[in-house]
Amino acid sequence: RSTLFPYTTLFRSLELELSKTFLKRIPIWGYVAGLTVAVLLACYFYTVTEEAKRGEHSTVKLPDHSTVTLNAATKLSYKPLAWFFSRKVDLEGEAYFDVKPGSQFSVHSDRHTVKVVGTAFNVYARSGMYRVTCLSGEVKVNSGKKSVVLHSNMQVTTHDSTFRIDRDVVSSTVIGWMQGKFVFIAMPLQDVIAEIERQYNIHVTPASYPHHIYSGNFSKTEKPEEILEIIGKPFGITFRIE
């Protein structure tokens, strides 16, 4: 060890001198460029994810003061450091958006995109079902190769190969969930029960249901058993909570 020590010290000294020489040769714009790249990469990769778990709702305030109300079992992701370059969010679940005017605002859900400037709208994106309802202003919806511009009280629904546009939609039937109401219009019974499970954070049996279509409008109560009784009575079905 004592024989190698002088050589090790010499190599370290040479390495330090080479590093200093290399750094001196880098012009100031090189440092600026490197710092700029580092900042841009940080802006691109840093992501915030907000989540409303089963049985709860949550309100998210975005950097431009736009607000998003998340329904139960919903995730919203966005990049705060890049926000004023690109107002973009990713959504899984259902949410109501109140967007402040400004540059283009976009909501991405799988292969679907909503683009707006400043407006209010509701997005539902769950299990192959995608539905956008424009409540005020104007939104453009892209779904695969199809697109449509929606104005107030218009709605587009895509499911499998269907692409349906509805007009004169009553807003209270779309965002009733924000006021603690259940509004189901010609909905498959299994989807109705799935919504009840999300709102109460429960699991309901049986796991499969007859192919019934259900319509109903009622307020949320503290006891999910009461809701399940209302839903099952027309079909003679009794539901059990596990």
Side-chain angles (χ1 to χ4, degrees):
R1 292 183 181 176
S2 59
T3 304
L4 294 175
F5 178 74
Y7 296 100
T8 303
T9 304
L10 176 62
F11 289 144
R12 288 180 179 175
S13 299
L14 289 173
E15 183 181 9
L16 182 60
E17 289 299 323
L18 288 172
S19 298
K20 291 180 178 179
T21 302
F22 177 74
L23 291 174
K24 288 179 180 180
R25 291 181 179 179
I26 299 178
I28 187 63
W29 60 263
Y31 293 106
V32 174
L35 181 60
T36 301
V37 170
V39 171
L40 291 176
L41 288 174
C43 292
Y44 180 80
F45 287 107
Y46 179 61
T47 301
V48 171
T49 298
E50 303 283 355
E51 179 179 6
K53 297 181 180 180
R54 289 165 60 93
E56 63 183 36
H57 296 169
S58 177
T59 300
V60 178
K61 184 80 71 173
L62 296 174
D64 62 351
H65 300 296
S66 294
T67 57
V68 187
T69 305
L70 308 182
N71 202 346
T74 297
K75 287 185 179 181
L76 179 84
S77 300
Y78 65 98
K79 298 175 180 177
L81 298 180
W83 186 256
F84 294 99
F85 299 100
S86 176
R87 298 199 299 171
K88 170 187 172 183
V89 302
D90 292 295
L91 176 72
E92 298 177 28
E94 181 175 17
Y96 170 79
F97 293 82
D98 187 359
V99 178
K100 296 295 183 181
S103 60
Q104 181 175 274
F105 184 105
S106 60
V107 182
H108 299 260
S109 301
D110 192 18
R111 61 188 183 88
H112 313 286
T113 305
V114 184
K115 296 181 179 180
V116 304
V117 174
T119 184
F121 58 99
N122 194 84
V123 180
Y124 180 99
R126 300 187 192 274
S127 303
M129 175 69 74
Y130 183 74
R131 183 171 57 246
V132 178
T133 309
C134 181
L135 303 175
S136 68
E138 176 182 293
V139 304
K140 182 179 181 180
V141 181
N142 295 319
S143 179
K145 296 181 179 180
K146 297 182 179 180
S147 65
V148 62
V149 175
L150 303 178
H151 300 280
S152 298
N153 301 320
M154 290 181 64
Q155 181 182 86
V156 60
T157 303
T158 70
H159 181 60
D160 296 330
S161 59
T162 62
F163 188 86
R164 189 182 76 246
I165 299 172
D166 296 307
R167 293 173 172 80
D168 300 323
V169 176
V170 180
S171 60
S172 60
T173 65
V174 178
I175 58 173
W177 60 268
M178 295 177 64
Q179 286 80 43
K181 296 181 179 180
F182 293 105
V183 182
F184 303 112
I185 301 175
M187 183 177 290
L189 184 58
Q190 61 184 13
D191 292 343
V192 172
I193 297 303
E195 183 64 22
I196 300 300
E197 290 178 318
R198 280 191 293 268
Q199 296 300 329
Y200 285 100
N201 190 21
I202 59 175
H203 180 70
V204 177
T205 56
S208 61
Y209 307 94
H211 297 293
H212 293 309
I213 299 298
Y214 180 80
S215 295
N217 184 343
F218 43 85
S219 297
K220 184 178 180 180
T221 65
E222 293 185 2
K223 298 181 178 181
E225 295 88 350
E226 297 176 351
I227 300 298
L228 293 172
E229 183 178 357
I230 293 173
I231 295 171
K233 191 173 183 178
F235 309 111
I237 300 174
T238 300
F239 298 105
R240 186 176 75 253
I241 299 175
E242 290 187 350

